[in-house]
Amino acid sequence: MRPKIAAGNWKMNGTAAALSELDALTRALPENPPQIVICPPSPLLFRATDAVHGSPIQIGAQDCHAEASGAYTGDISAPMVADSGASHVILGHSERREMHRETDADVQAKTRAAWTSGLTAIICIGESDAQREAGETLDVIGAQLDGSLPEGVTAENTVIAYEPIWAIGTGKVPSLEQIAEVHDFIRNRLATRFGAEIGNALPLLYGGSVKASNATEIFAVENVDGALVGGASLKADDFAPIVAALARA
Ligand code: PEP
């Protein structure tokens, strides 16, 4: 049985006042909640891990550097993330790939760093609008998987998030058939490279405009083990129904 995971990416949103959303979310959780990972901006990591103490919510960072320390102004390292009490780190989000020119090789190096610090890497992959229009989706996804994942992937140290770039923050969602096609492809690719046991055990999340209104049907798609949610993770009132839908799935 693969774990179900509801992950929230707050992106560059929220100051200390936003931590009250973690209390509100804890209070709104269903009886048997899935795994929940909230990824606030890095200045909030220490306080967020304190805020969820005693709650099933886990905390993750949105990125980490491949080096453990050094002259990298503005960056945070995997040991720093782990020191905060966080358990996860999002790597290779399309916004980092686009705006910070992160390559698959960068994501792979960061993944190794995350593992060394005991963190679970949530590795994001996804095609652009133009790539989908050109019929290149599976080629792009395959290449990103091959390039971003180091040897040593296990179901405990890695989560894959399929996030079509054109669906992020746009309100556009792929059809359920399109989601199924890509998730099946990812599952097969992982099984081919890492063996059936690991391939079948790795959690695969869908991300891109997930909301309470579409969560149930997305979670019913085979090989969708949860979601990485941006906008709708900022408020407990929006995220709790998504968590509840996953708990029911
Ligand atoms: C994301 O950025 O990871 C994301 C899925 O955003 P949204 O849910 O807002 O589309």
Side-chain angles (χ1 to χ4, degrees), residues 9 11 93 95 163 167-169 207-210 228-231:
N9 174 12
K11 310 193 186 192
H93 191 281
E95 287 155 13
E163 299 207 305
I168 294 178
S209 296
V210 174
L228 178 55
V229 182

